[in-house]
Structures are given as structure tokens and as C-alpha cells.
Amino acid sequence: MMKTALFSILAAGAAVAAVPATPQSPLGGVSPSPGSYRGGLNKVISESALLSFHRDIVEIASVTGDEHDVGEFIVRFLQEKNFTVTKQTVTPETASQKERFNIYAYPEDQPHPEILLTSHIDTVPPFIPYSLEGADDDGDDSFNRESIAISGRGSVDAKGSVAAQIFAALDTLAEPSSAPALGLLFVVGEETGGDGMKRFSDSPLNTSPPSYHTVIFGEPTELALVSGHKGMLGFDILAHGRAAHSGYPWLGRSAVSAILPVLSRVDQLGDIPAEEGGLPASPKYGKTTVNLGTVNAGVAANVVPATAQANVAVRLAAGTPEEAREIVRQAVRDALTHDDDNVSVDFSHHSEAYPPQDLDTDVDGFQVITVNYGTDVPNLVIHDSPAARVKRYLYGPGSIHVAHGDHEALTVGALEEAVRGYKRLIQAANKN
Ligand SMILES: *[C@@H]1O[C@H](CO)[C@@H](O)[C@H](O)[C@H]1NC(C)=O
Ligand SMILES: *[C@@H]1O[C@H](CO)[C@@H](O)[C@H](O)[C@H]1NC(C)=O
Ligand SMILES: [Zn+2]
């Protein structure tokens, strides 16, 4: 839905941009700089500290591995706002690696955050430049301020969240008498396995017990509170055979013939009822889903294939990764007509495994949804206890449906609403 809306915004914007500068008809309180539609759009951004900061960090490319420059920019910005900032090195581990670091910040007199706001500063590739389009309703070059679409890589995932969290923190701290102790944590590497969050999680900064009672994760959730996301399990299925001329297949053993029934069985595990050996579903998350992402086998049509390998990703709707591993192992055994030690499952190359992540939603006034994508939530190990359980919220502007695509964009209205949303979450957490 969001995607369609943005496409029409972009199409309308492009048509308008082609029209030569004509007098502006102000709409929605916008009074553009003389003469131009484009000048009007730019003025909306430059007049807002939030929108300007968001523009500045989107304009700095930060595809995973290359987060150094955007990190330095955010550090300087926070220091100018009198935050105490710690740069937590994630790499280099070797001399040839580029410097990458997490940013951990708190107001200078409050070194023990009670509420931690966190998101990530890396993006998926490729870099896409920042641009603006106005939504055009009536064919002239007017636009509605709230509907201006801000495009560019990371504009949604997750620099929209980063900017909104910082400005929500600044607004909250502007009233020092009632402000809780706030911390900011912006990590690298979320898009490729979470090395940044894992580094923070294992570090002395993540104390036991934690100083924080609430963590607010920022990711594109279309301004809804996320009640949880599915778990994750990855593995390989391997088969070994013996090569031979395809005219004399009895002289070899086909690894493809051996793996086929196993792949077929594993492929269906999300649809097979749990009591019949399938992977469990849950009312909250629906079915567990299985994706046979890659299958590689053989060398040529006239050679009996000696090896076959499949790479599988499972999104878990229920249970633990260990339970799911046992179900997968059993499914492989069931699919083989006889004990074949040449077909095996290998979990060792996929250390990233976690159960479904249930999150808190006990703040009024938000729509509540579940999502199917992974986040850094499981990578932050919280050393809390049942008696003092840390609450975790997941919230942010923009839609996941555009986040990794060519048309990553959000609206001015959504970005500004996210600041208000984060402030409401902070205020609710402060009362707990
Ligand atoms: C930062 O602290 C200095 C010294 O106390 C003060 O003059 C300045 O106004 C503060 N800046 C901000 C943005 O709060
Ligand atoms: C497994 O591979 C070995 C070595 O190639 C072979 O001797 C054996 O028969 C194979 N096992 C089965 C069940 O095909
Ligand atoms: Zn993200």
C-alpha cells in the first residue's frame, strides 16, 4: 500500500519537475523561496533541524563496512549537543580493515541510561543519492509539506529512525526537570549479521544488571509498535556421490538423486503439521516458512553429479532453534529410503539462530503489528531478571516494503510523526 502511494507521489513529482518554473501556489502553509518548486522543497528541509540532519546523514554513503564517515558526522553532532560520546571500535581487527565503530552517547551528567534508544547506521547497497519530490494534487507545482517524499538509500532503513530518535531525545532533554536518563546507541553492521550490536552486547558497556529498564529499537515499522518478529535458523544440506559418464550411471552415484527427496521434504516443513514432523506454527506469527535459497550440484549434463548442496533459511514462528534443528534432522532421516551417511545437514556455517522475538506493546495510541524481517533485537543480550524485566519496543518511520529497494523513501509527515512517537514511548517508559 505504502509502495503504491510513494510511486504515485514520485511520478507526480517527476511530472511537475519537468514544468518550467511557474508561480507557486502555496498549500499547507508552505511559502517557498521565490520562483521555484525545487527551491520550495529545499526550503522545507533547510528550515527544519530534524529534516536537515536526516538529509545530511542520508547524503553520506554508509553501506555496511563503510560506516566510518557517517559515524564521525553523528559523533560531532552529538558532541555539539553536549552528549558524552563513546566510540566503540568494531573493526579493524586487522590492519587492512577500515575503522568502524558504534556510537554510545548520553547527556554529560547522566552516565547510566535508564532508557536506551538504538538503531543502525549501515545500509544495504547500492548507495542512492538523496532527493525530494512534492506530492502534486492538482497539476500545478504546489505541494503539501507533510507529503513531500524524501528518497535515498537509508532514508528509511534506518536513518529515519536514527534522526527521529536523536530529536526525540533532544526534545525530551529540553525539559531537564522531568527528563529520564537517556542513552543513544547507534551500531554498525546490522544488515549483515549484526557484528556491531554483538560487539556492544558483549562489552562492559552492557552491564549486568543493566542500567536501562527499557530499550527502544528503531527500524521501519510504518509508525506501528511491533509485537514481535519471527526467529531464524539457517543450514546447509549436503550430498556426496561418485562421478561417472551419464551413459553408464550405474558406475557412479548421483548426489542429486540422493538429495532430491530430502529437499522436497524440507521444503514442505512449514506446511506439514507439527504432529506429523513439520515445523510448528503459532497464532501470533502464522506458519514457519522455509526458503531453499540456493541449490548447487553437478558439473555438466553428461556427468553423474558427485556433489549437491542446498542453502536453507527458516523463519521460525514458534519453538527454539534447537527444537527446529532436531525436526530438520528427523525430516532428513525420514526422507531417505535407507540410512545414507552421504546426505547430511550442516548447521555450523549459520551461527545466527534465534527463536521468535516477543516485544512489548503496552503503550496506548499505536497500531500493533508483527513483522517478518530480522533485526538487531536478538543480538542485544539483556542481563535482566524476571523480577526486573527490561522492556523492549520496536518502532520507526517508513515502510519495510521500500527499505531495500530502488525507491527507498518516506514522507516528511512520517519522519516528524516518528519524533512524537518516540517521545511518547520515552514518556510511557519513564512512568514505569
Ligand atoms: C553545551 O554546554 C555549554 C557549556 O555549559 C553551553 O554553553 C552550551 O549552550 C551547551 N550547548 C547545548 C546545545 O546545550
Ligand atoms: C556413501 O558413500 C560411500 C563412499 O563413496 C559408499 O561406499 C556408500 O555406499 C555410500 N552410501 C550409500 C548408502 O549410498
Ligand atoms: Zn534496518
Side-chain angles (χ1 to χ4, degrees), residues 390-403:
V390 167
K391 289 199 173 175
R392 302 182 299 178
Y393 299 96
L394 175 58
Y395 170 86
S399 166
I400 194 67
H401 295 133
V402 299

Side-chain angles (χ1 to χ4, degrees), residues 9 84 118 123 137 141 171 304 310 364 373:
I9 287 166
T84 300
T118 183
T123 73
D137 298 321
D141 57 357
D171 278 5
V304 173
D364 290 339
Y373 56 87

Side-chain angles (χ1 to χ4, degrees), residues 126-175:
F127 175 69
I128 300 171
Y130 182 90
S131 67
L132 302 170
E133 298 295 347
D136 176 51
D137 298 321
D138 48 10
D140 61 21
D141 57 357
S142 63
F143 56 81
N144 179 295
R145 185 184 183 282
E146 307 273 289
S147 310
I148 295 171
I150 307 173
S151 309
R153 176 61 76 220
S155 56
V156 175
D157 188 8
K159 291 172 179 176
S161 291
V162 171
Q165 288 184 336
I166 290 175
F167 280 80
L170 290 172
D171 278 5
T172 304
L173 295 167
E175 286 165 57

Side-chain angles (χ1 to χ4, degrees), residues 80-82 108:
E80 277 164 19
K81 303 289 182 193
N82 290 341
E108 53 195 351

Side-chain angles (χ1 to χ4, degrees), residues 66-86:
D66 198 21
E67 300 98 335
H68 175 271
D69 293 357
V70 82
E72 290 289 3
F73 182 90
I74 295 169
V75 166
R76 269 197 309 279
F77 182 88
L78 292 174
Q79 284 171 338
E80 277 164 19
K81 303 289 182 193
N82 290 341
F83 279 84
T84 300
V85 182
T86 301

Side-chain angles (χ1 to χ4, degrees), residues 120 157-158 190-191 219:
H120 63 93
D157 188 8
E190 190 275 339
E191 298 289 358
E219 287 284 356

Side-chain angles (χ1 to χ4, degrees), residues 179-196:
L182 292 180
L184 298 171
L185 171 64
F186 299 120
V187 300
V188 297
E190 190 275 339
E191 298 289 358
T192 59
D195 61 348

